[in-house]
Amino acid sequence: MKVSIIGTGYVGLTTGVCLGFLGHKVTCLDSDEAKIETLQSGHTPIYEPWLEDLLALAQPNLCFSTSYAQSIPEADVVFIAVGTPPLASGSPDLTYLLSAAQGIGKHLNGGFTVVVNKSTVPIGSGNWVESILRESYEQHHRHQSGGHFAVASNPEFLREGSALNDSLYPDRVVIGADEPRALELLYTLYRPVLDQTFPAPTFLPRPEGLGAVPLISTQLASAELIKYAANAFLALKISYINEIGRLAERVGADITQVANGIGLDKRIGTRFLQPGIGWGGSCFGKDTAALISTAAEYGLVMPIVQAAREINNCQRAHVIEKLLAELKILKGRTVGLLGLAFKPQTDDLRDAPAVEIARQLTERGAKVRAHDPVALPRARREYADSDITFCEDPVELANGADALVLVTEWPQYRDLPWEDLARDMRHPLVLDGRQFLDRPRLTRAGLQYVGILS
Ligand code: UDX
């Protein structure tokens, strides 16, 4: 099938590369010429494990362009995967979505096309996009019949850092469409994933025992709500374990054991019960805010989702409280942050806890240094004006520091030369923000280990 994808961020690019790998003819569109040039040269503008490798395999089926005119008229399916960043009000900014829909409407030809909302968009956006497409089509195709299209919602559930796995081997595919023809086309598009008939790339082996992938076919609004409800649930699962963690700390219980003890109940499940600094990234904060804002439009409050957000903010502030408890004075202290990305295996800094923690420390007069194995170049670009000193390696970070804070649980941080770091620090304190480091190992190395929740 012929596919166009608008937006080459995490979602659009991953989707495009996977569909190209599965044999579809895909054009990825972006208004950013520099990004398109990078992609044309076989590189990716974002860090995502195996993405460049899969891009190389899919190359014969992929095309990267800035021109709608080149690919939209031909396409059977057009995905909209543009950013919907949060506005101050909590609702998402739909400017890019609007301009994508207008651009598609302008270039649609007479054949039937499914336009798919892949970005996380507010409930009701399917109808809204349809009206914009219609308006734009009529404006640019006066006196012509046609404009046969339908809008569908196909939310993504991919996690940065394992985006390709989540796309090729998903738990489910959700398609919301009010028109049967749209569902049929998307079913054909996803058939290799649903039936798992494609040969797995050597670097992304098929998970053992994975059978057919369930297809959930719904009306538009249900698919839109599934996305928000799933992300809000995951967010509140994390906040729940962090809330229990605060109590565990007071009563002298080990939160990691508690999480394991409750997670092994299959009704609860072990995943997303990792306690710590809390969630960051582009989705959970934005989607919980959007859900609350949509509910408000209907006169509803969402106290559970609101509480999950409040607990998440407290977790970040808890880092400062813990450092204060140990160091007594933060003014003039030097604190080194191990990790900047909002989670390992990505260079994404959107709503990264490290950035907020650095801000709060600086506000209290501390000097902040930071290291990250992958996100440093991006941090240097995006936070060029900040007071953070970026360090090339953890040894430099620790030299003369009063405390180190483990913010992102990159696996390599487990095996740092702790003896050397302890020797070079002014005050050998390590605050483990993810309950991740090997406490006995650090203690043996002469460091004072403090867990975020113990
Ligand atoms: C999320 C959803 O998981 C995905 O389905 C959706 O489509 C996009 O948003 P992502 O933001 O890439 O994916 O990362 P995810 O792995 O979900 O982690 C989000 C945040 O939660 C990270 O900051 C992570 O450190 C934190 N987290 C996760 C915890 O604090 N504890 C956990 O147990 C799990």
Side-chain angles (χ1 to χ4, degrees), residues 139-158:
Q139 188 188 343
H140 293 96
H141 299 80
R142 285 179 204 281
H143 317 303
Q144 287 176 35
S145 61
H148 303 302
F149 63 85
V151 174
S153 163
N154 169 220
E156 51 77 24
F157 300 101
L158 55 91

Side-chain angles (χ1 to χ4, degrees), residues 156-157 159-160 227 272-274 280 283 342-343 434:
E156 51 77 24
F157 300 101
R159 290 160 301 167
E160 289 175 27
K227 174 63 202 256
F272 279 72
L273 281 183
Q274 194 191 314
C283 291
F342 83 94
K343 70 172 191 176
R434 300 281 181 183

Side-chain angles (χ1 to χ4, degrees), residues 206-220:
R206 180 169 283 115
E208 225 168 280
L210 181 72
V213 171
L215 170 71
I216 312 293
S217 142
T218 69
Q219 297 290 294
L220 262 174

Side-chain angles (χ1 to χ4, degrees), residues 213-236:
V213 171
L215 170 71
I216 312 293
S217 142
T218 69
Q219 297 290 294
L220 262 174
S222 306
E224 290 168 345
L225 182 54
I226 284 171
K227 174 63 202 256
Y228 281 106
N231 270 358
F233 188 81
L234 292 169
L236 66 93

